[in-house]
Amino acid sequence: MSPADPPPSPEPENPLWQQEAREQFPIITAHPELAYLDSAATSQKPRAVLEAVQTYLMTSNANAGRGTYPWANRTTELVEATRERVKEFLHDPEPVRSGVHFTSGTTEGLRTVARDWLVPYLSDGDEILVPYADHRAHLDPWIEARRLLAERGVQVRVQALPYQAGSGDYDHLALARAVGPRTRFVAATHVHHVYGGDMNVHRIREAVGPEVAICLDAAQSVGHLPVHLDDPSLDVDFVVFSGHKAMALPGSGAIWARNVRGPAFRPEGWQGTPNTAGIVSLRAALDWLDTIGPERVAHWTTTLTTRFTDRLARLGPYEIVGCQASLSADSALSVEQRRRGIITFRHRDIPSDDLGFILFSHGFMVRADNLCQAGSDARDASVRVSLHVYNTVEEIDRLLAVLASLA
C-alpha cells in the first residue's frame, strides 16, 4: 500500500480470513470470555508453532553443531535453515553477504551488538545518537558501551536522538543537523512500544547519510507488519527482534546484520548450546505469518486501532499519548503514519494501575505501568492496548463500552 492510498476504514465485522486465523490459537479459543490485548508484550502462538515444537522435541531433539548422528545433523540443519528463513522473511536483498545470529530476544540482541560490534568499532572522539525516550532496552546497551570504552581510555560522545514535540516521532530535520563528521552510529526504533507509530525510519538514512551505521529495534514490527530490507529507504545495518513477539516461543530472537559498514558482525566468545526448540518455533512462526500475510495482519490491526482511537478520543476523561493527528477515522495521514496496533492512554481521575485491574475484572488483559520507557517512572504509568491478528471488532467495541461507563 502506497502513502497515497487512503487509510483503512473500520470494518463492520470480522472477515472470514481473520476468523479462520483466530481459530488457530488454542489459548484464545479456549477462553472466549477473555480478550488478550497485550501482544506488544508477547504474542500468542498458533497451533502450527506449537505442533512444530512438539514434533521436533519428540522426533529429533539434539544439540546443534556438536554431533554426527542423524538427530544432531537434523537439528543443525534446522538451525541453519532458520537463518536463511529469517533473511527471506525480512526480504534480504543480499543474503550471501548478511548474517543471522540467534539470541534470547531483542534485549540480548541489542546488548550483543553494543558489546561485540560497536565497542570494537568506535575510536576516541567518535559520536553516536541513541533514543532516550524509547524502550529502556534500546538505551542501556549504548550507555554501557560508552562506559566500557571509557574504561579503555576511549572517550565517545553519546547524543540523544531528537524527537518531535507532541507526536513522539523522531525529528528527522534536527537529526540531520545533529550528524557530524565523527558520527558513526545511530540506534533507532521501528515501531514505538508506547506511541504505536512507525517512527518513519525510512527517513533516517537520508538524514544521517550513507556512511553511518544504523541499528533498528524491530521488536514491535517483525511479526506485526511487513519489513522489507530490499527497500532502499530501509538501508539499515542491524535488525534486532524477539521471536516471542512474532508468534514464536519465549527466549527466541535474532540479530540480522547486513555486514556493509564497519567490520562484519561476529559475536565474541564461545557460542554455547542454542535454544533449538525456540529456533524451530521461530521458523514455524515465520512460515505461519507468511501464509496469513504480514500485509493483511498489519491492515487488520491498523483497522482495529483506528476504530478504537476514533471513539476513545471522544470520551472526555481519556488522554491518548502520542501523535494526535492519527486518532480519527478520517485522518489524512497515510497508513504508514498511523498507529500499528498499539494504543496507550490515561484516565484523568483513575490511576492507570487501578484502571488495569478494573479492565481485567471485565475480561480485558492489558498492560498498565510505565511500559519500560526510558526516562519514565511510576508517575508516567499508562494503560496500553496492543493488538494482533486474533483480536476482533467485538472485543474493541466491548472495551469501548466499559471505558465509556467509566467516563
Side-chain angles (χ1 to χ4, degrees), residues 43-319:
S43 65
Q44 297 303 335
K45 321 307 175 191
R47 186 173 290 104
V49 170
L50 303 176
E51 291 176 349
V53 173
Q54 184 180 40
T55 298
Y56 165 71
L57 293 175
M58 294 178 64
T59 60
S60 58
N61 177 43
N63 213 328
R66 289 165 171 80
T68 57
Y69 52 90
W71 292 358
N73 291 338
R74 174 59 178 154
T75 297
T76 302
E77 291 170 359
L78 286 169
V79 170
E80 296 307 315
T82 305
R83 296 187 204 278
E84 299 307 310
R85 188 68 183 90
V86 169
K87 297 179 185 181
E88 181 183 26
F89 188 79
L90 297 177
H91 300 274
D92 185 342
E94 294 184 277
V96 175
R97 187 171 192 171
S98 64
V100 172
H101 175 71
F102 295 113
T103 70
S104 63
T106 305
T107 299
E108 184 196 352
L110 294 170
R111 293 192 71 225
T112 301
V113 172
R115 294 192 313 266
D116 294 351
W117 186 85
L118 186 63
V119 168
Y121 175 53
L122 296 179
S123 302
D124 196 63
D126 283 345
E127 300 176 350
I128 64 175
L129 288 105
V130 302
Y132 275 76
D134 296 359
H135 198 288
R136 184 167 180 176
H138 200 25
L139 173 62
D140 288 357
W142 320 119
I143 303 302
E144 180 187 14
R146 179 178 61 182
R147 177 182 60 78
L148 293 173
L149 285 162
E151 291 174 356
R152 303 178 186 183
V154 178
Q155 299 300 317
V156 171
R157 183 186 180 198
V158 178
Q159 295 190 72
L161 269 175
Y163 294 82
Q164 296 178 17
S167 72
D169 292 343
Y170 299 135
D171 187 332
H172 299 87
L173 295 177
L175 173 59
R177 294 191 294 269
V179 174
R182 297 300 300 273
T183 303
R184 298 288 182 262
F185 178 83
V186 171
T189 298
H190 198 177
V191 172
H192 201 281
H193 75 293
V194 176
Y195 308 128
D198 183 325
M199 300 294 282
N200 291 314
V201 295
H202 61 282
R203 298 177 181 171
I204 291 180
R205 173 57 65 199
E206 179 181 357
V208 304
E211 302 300 325
V212 177
I214 300 173
C215 179
L216 190 65
D217 175 352
Q220 300 297 344
S221 57
V222 172
H224 298 260
L225 65 149
V227 178
H228 281 264
L229 296 176
D230 54 357
D231 184 337
S233 67
L234 202 57
D235 177 15
V236 299
D237 298 85
F238 298 94
V239 173
V240 186
F241 68 94
S242 298
H244 75 92
K245 298 180 190 289
M247 307 293 186
L249 292 185
S252 63
I255 304 167
W256 172 89
R258 192 183 292 272
N259 295 327
V260 172
R261 299 169 184 86
F265 174 67
R266 295 185 180 90
E268 296 181 358
W270 179 260
Q271 301 300 305
T273 298
N275 177 7
T276 53
I279 292 169
V280 167
S281 77
L282 179 58
R283 182 182 181 185
L286 299 183
D287 288 345
W288 189 89
L289 285 163
D290 262 345
T291 299
I292 297 298
E295 294 84 2
R296 194 156 54 172
V297 171
H299 177 83
W300 180 246
T301 55
T302 304
T303 294
L304 293 183
T305 301
T306 301
R307 186 183 189 93
F308 184 59
T309 59
D310 181 73
R311 301 182 186 189
L312 183 64
R314 303 175 194 175
L315 300 178
Y318 296 98
E319 171 204 3

Side-chain angles (χ1 to χ4, degrees), residues 193-194 319 321 343-347 350-353 355-356 366-371 373 377-385:
H193 75 293
V194 176
E319 171 204 3
V321 303
I343 313 99
T344 302
F345 59 93
R346 300 184 181 95
H347 192 287
I350 304 175
S352 293
D353 53 351
L355 183 55
V366 300
R367 178 82 176 264
D369 54 29
N370 67 354
L371 308 180
Q373 186 172 14
D377 56 32
R379 294 169 297 180
D380 300 306
S382 53
V383 173
R384 183 180 68 186
V385 169

